[in-house]
Amino acid sequence: MGNPQAHGSGHIDTDSAMTIKEIPFASVQYDAMRRFRKETLRLPLGLRLGQEDEKDEDRQSHIAALEKDSSVVGSVLLKPLSQARVKLRQMAVSPPLTAKRHRIRSGAVR
């Protein structure tokens, strides 16, 4: 297995491919993304994902970062504010992936 390398663009090359894609609302992947958001954003703070948090999600774009096995490792919602503007909501990155990136940037991973 090769070593991850950080580049000035912020992109991390690893031997495992990651896919970024829009997830259809109310799909199986949408449910996986909801669970990921709950586990990553809410549970560590002792919060619950409520109806108000999910209001109008059917009119928002759901973007996920997926590993080769289709597990969710990142997510963000894009809520349209106008034709030219969106609001980023519920952005989350898997804690192990965030820790890995920190180690690469600090030079701890070679």
Side-chain angles (χ1 to χ4, degrees):
M1 185 164 171
N3 292 331
Q5 297 295 319
H7 299 281
S9 65
H11 174 76
I12 298 174
D13 290 333
T14 66
D15 287 338
S16 64
M18 187 180 306
T19 303
I20 308 295
K21 69 182 253 185
E22 185 167 0
I23 303 298
F25 179 74
S27 66
V28 172
Q29 286 183 316
Y30 170 79
D31 290 338
M33 192 171 153
R34 281 182 66 240
R35 281 190 303 278
F36 174 78
R37 288 171 23 212
K38 177 182 172 185
E39 292 167 3
T40 306
L41 297 173
R42 298 294 177 160
L43 291 181
L45 299 175
L47 301 173
R48 298 173 69 168
L49 193 62
Q51 289 180 335
E52 186 63 29
D53 297 309
E54 296 180 323
K55 184 180 176 185
D56 299 327
E57 282 201 7
D58 59 330
R59 293 180 276 207
Q60 298 175 35
S61 296
H62 306 265
I63 311 298
L66 306 169
E67 291 283 10
K68 280 184 179 180
D69 66 359
S70 295
S71 61
V72 178
V73 294
S75 68
V76 66
L77 303 182
L78 304 176
K79 179 180 181 177
L81 299 178
S82 70
Q83 285 195 338
R85 295 177 54 210
V86 295
K87 176 180 182 178
L88 299 178
R89 296 187 59 242
Q90 307 240 346
M91 183 176 281
V93 176
S94 170
L97 191 60
T98 303
K100 183 180 196 178
R101 182 178 178 134
H102 176 71
R103 288 192 311 273
I104 290 169
R105 285 187 168 209
S106 69
V109 173
R110 296 256 185 247

